């Protein structure tokens, strides 16, 4: 994971990268915030970037609909404690494509 970085700046996300995981609380009342975040990430990141959410209770399809790349939006739900439970649930949106699912599976295996 030496090539993994974190940031609180949306502008910092505009750099070329292949996968973005948006991590924030999964409380249902934050769904509008998460949709707004994915719309912003869609504007700021390269078109080839995959946008992933770690949420387990919000609609990945609704987040994908806020972007111009719904085929490149996916859920990556890590189980806790992450360092002990090597388990990743990959959640597809209605339009998530097979290439995106395969890519996040590889990312998950490398983590």
């Amino acid at each position: 994971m030496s090539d993994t970085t974190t940031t609180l700046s949306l502008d910092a996300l505009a750099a070329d990268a292949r996968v973005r995981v948006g991590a924030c609380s999964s409380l249902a009342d934050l769904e509008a915030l998460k949709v707004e975040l994915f719309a912003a990430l869609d504007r700021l990141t390269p078109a080839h970037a995959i946008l992933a959410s770690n949420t387990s209770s919000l609609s990945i399809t609704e987040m994908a609909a806020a972007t111009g790349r719904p085929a490149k939006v996916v859920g990556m739900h890590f189980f806790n404690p992450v360092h002990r439970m090597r388990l990743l649930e990959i959640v597809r949106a209605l339009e998530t494509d097979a290439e995106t699912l395969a890519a996040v599976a590889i990312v998950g295996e490398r983590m």
Side-chain angles (χ1 to χ4, degrees):
M1 289 192 11
S2 63
D3 59 349
T4 301
T5 59
T6 61
T7 183
L8 296 176
S9 166
L10 287 180
D11 291 329
L13 291 174
D16 187 34
R18 300 177 90 188
V19 177
R20 302 284 193 285
V21 180
C24 70
S25 175
S26 61
L27 298 174
D29 61 325
L30 293 179
E31 186 161 9
L33 176 62
K34 195 88 170 213
V35 168
E36 184 180 321
L37 172 65
F38 271 65
L41 289 173
D42 185 51
R43 290 188 307 274
L44 293 169
T45 58
H48 67 273
I50 294 169
L51 303 178
S53 173
N54 71 327
T55 188
S56 62
S57 63
L58 303 179
S59 170
I60 301 299
T61 298
E62 287 187 30
M63 287 179 245
T67 74
R69 62 179 101 185
K72 297 284 181 208
V73 178
V74 66
M76 294 178 73
H77 179 224
F78 298 89
F79 290 80
N80 287 312
V82 175
H83 68 286
R84 292 195 178 213
M85 293 194 63
R86 297 185 48 83
L87 182 60
L88 171 64
E89 176 187 29
I90 299 172
V91 182
R92 76 180 314 145
L94 287 176
E95 296 185 46
T96 305
D97 63 23
E99 180 182 332
T100 298
L101 295 173
V104 297
I106 291 168
V107 169
E109 288 173 4
R110 290 181 180 170
M111 295 174 109

